[in-house]
Amino acid sequence: MRLLPTLLSTALVAALAACTPAADDTAADAAPAADATTDTADTETAPMTTFETVGQLTSFDPAFADVVDPAARVEKLTGDEFSWSEGPTWVKAGFLLFNDPPENRMFRWSEADGLSVFLDPSGHAGAPIEGVREAGANGLYTEAAGTVLVADSGNRLVARMDPADKSRTTLAERYDGKRFSSPNDVVARGDGSVFFTDPPYGFREFDESSLKEQPVNGIYRIDADGTVHLVDDSLNRPNGLAFSPDGNTLYVANSDDKRPIWMAYTLDAAGDVTGSRVFADATDLMDEGVHGLPDGLAVSTGGLVFATGPGGVLVMNAEGKRLGRIETGSAIANCAFGDDGKTLYMTSHKFLARVPLKVAGLGFQN
């Protein structure tokens, strides 16, 4: 293993750090009521012209240099402004959306406009519910038509949102007559079916919560006709998910510190599982002081898997071999390709980060 530090001098890093706005510790106290939608014009943060360099690149295999330039900078795009940043997705109009589930807000970021609140609340809009720890939305996914799928943890459902007018349509909120727990991440297959995970992270008492109705923590599929199917119930903490380029393999992260793995499910044309295997295992990376668990996923046009996990974003080939790791210095919840497809955006605990790549993500032109 070798480290690939960025090439900026210590003095320049310090100078760039001084340009980064300090975290606003009063943001939560100054937030508008949960049943109102914030006017983004009042909550914009001016864009920064330069960004602080954070983290490092760690190479496990020479092929990592074909994925990201060894001299690439990992940039911190915001201050430490979030309780837990999550669910990034690139919108075709030219901006990134992502969530802060504990604070119940959805944010918008672009190079030109900087950071602003896109939705407040992003999820549950009523009075606080006892026993709920994350009232906001979580995972997001931009569909080919430009609409955005929303794993709405706070409202315990999956929805489709039009980012132009912020309108939403509920796709599913129950299976077998019982409410979902807290949909966490969501992705669309090429045939229009929607897959999502439903762990109990939205509840303060997790599996022991009196709010929990589903007997399992499942992976589900919503067909075009609206019917909901349980795809798998074997994972204790199913979390991030993504498809292989051909749509026949579904990768799912298991955010369990006792079994930190990624599964690969082989699907037939209908979306049913015909086989499964452990794609990768992060047990050996779970050292004391290392932040992060298997969580969000993204896949390149060539089939490389970008998986947030212990220490950062692990880059693996289609066989699960580790090529390298992109690190920000803190736990990374999720990642998504953006811009022209060759930028990886990362929601890294309290801030948003990015790194340029040599490969493109699914859904973008080469």
Side-chain angles (χ1 to χ4, degrees):
M1 178 181 76
R2 62 189 178 94
L3 301 182
L4 303 174
T6 56
L7 301 181
L8 292 178
S9 67
T10 302
L12 181 55
V13 171
L16 290 173
C19 297
T20 305
D24 183 0
D25 295 330
T26 65
D29 295 334
D35 58 352
T37 299
T38 299
D39 183 351
T40 58
D42 295 333
T43 58
E44 291 180 352
T45 299
M48 292 183 284
T49 56
T50 57
F51 300 101
E52 177 186 357
T53 299
V54 295
Q56 62 190 15
L57 305 174
T58 300
S59 177
F60 301 125
D61 187 277
F64 189 49
D66 296 325
V67 179
V68 57
D69 191 312
R73 296 173 54 219
V74 181
E75 296 179 310
K76 183 178 180 180
L77 304 178
T78 69
D80 293 338
E81 306 188 29
F82 317 111
S83 293
W84 183 248
S85 56
E86 252 286 12
T89 192
W90 185 258
V91 177
K92 293 184 177 183
F95 56 88
L96 189 82
L97 291 178
F98 63 99
N99 287 309
D100 187 341
E103 300 301 328
N104 202 0
R105 296 189 186 99
M106 185 181 296
F107 291 88
R108 179 191 191 277
W109 187 92
S110 72
E111 187 92 34
D113 302 326
L115 180 72
S116 61
V117 174
F118 187 76
L119 284 175
D120 187 350
S122 64
H124 177 65
I129 300 173
E130 186 176 355
V132 171
R133 65 186 287 268
E134 292 185 343
N138 199 309
L140 304 171
Y141 180 85
T142 300
E143 298 178 283
T147 48
V148 175
L149 296 173
V150 182
D152 190 337
S153 177
N155 287 317
R156 301 168 66 176
L157 55 82
V158 174
R160 175 175 286 122
M161 178 180 70
D162 183 343
D165 62 11
K166 305 178 185 179
S167 60
R168 295 197 222 184
T169 302
T170 297
L171 300 182
E173 56 186 341
R174 297 176 184 270
Y175 172 72
D176 198 23
K178 300 179 178 65
R179 293 188 69 188
F180 296 120
S181 298
S182 49
N184 185 278
D185 208 354
V186 61
V187 67
R189 200 183 190 196
D191 60 3
S193 57
V194 173
F195 288 69
F196 67 97
T197 54
D198 187 43
Y201 283 131
F203 301 145
R204 294 189 185 280
E205 297 179 351
F206 302 108
D207 287 319
E208 288 70 41
S209 174
S210 61
L211 298 172
K212 193 174 192 299
E213 297 182 24
Q214 291 296 337
V216 300
N217 299 319
I219 304 166
Y220 296 89
R221 182 184 80 245
I222 308 170
D223 287 340
D225 63 2
T227 57
V228 181
H229 306 267
L230 177 63
V231 174
D232 184 69
D233 62 1
S234 66
L235 299 181
N236 186 42
R237 292 291 185 267
N239 201 309
L241 69 177
F243 278 104
S244 61
D246 63 7
N248 294 328
T249 301
L250 176 68
Y251 300 106
V252 181
N254 188 44
S255 294
D256 185 347
D257 59 359
K258 297 179 177 59
R259 195 180 180 222
I261 63 169
W262 293 268
M263 292 294 296
Y265 297 92
T266 302
L267 305 179
D268 62 17
D272 295 322
V273 175
T274 60
S276 64
R277 61 187 171 90
V278 175
F279 173 70
D281 191 325
T283 301
D284 64 308
L285 299 176
M286 297 287 292
D287 296 329
E288 185 176 354
V290 175
H291 302 290
L293 284 166
D295 201 327
L297 294 165
V299 176
S300 75
T301 55
L304 296 175
V305 177
F306 291 72
T308 64
V313 177
L314 292 167
V315 180
M316 298 177 277
N317 65 17
E319 288 71 48
K321 179 182 179 181
R322 295 176 196 159
L323 305 182
R325 184 169 59 196
I326 301 166
E327 304 171 17
T328 63
S330 65
I332 302 174
N334 213 329
C335 60
F337 293 94
D339 299 329
D340 63 352
K342 290 187 176 181
T343 300
L344 188 73
Y345 286 91
M346 297 165 283
T347 45
S348 184
H349 195 177
K350 293 180 179 294
F351 60 88
L352 177 69
R354 72 178 176 188
V355 65
L357 303 174
K358 295 182 177 181
V359 299
L362 288 178
F364 293 85
Q365 297 294 329
N366 291 327

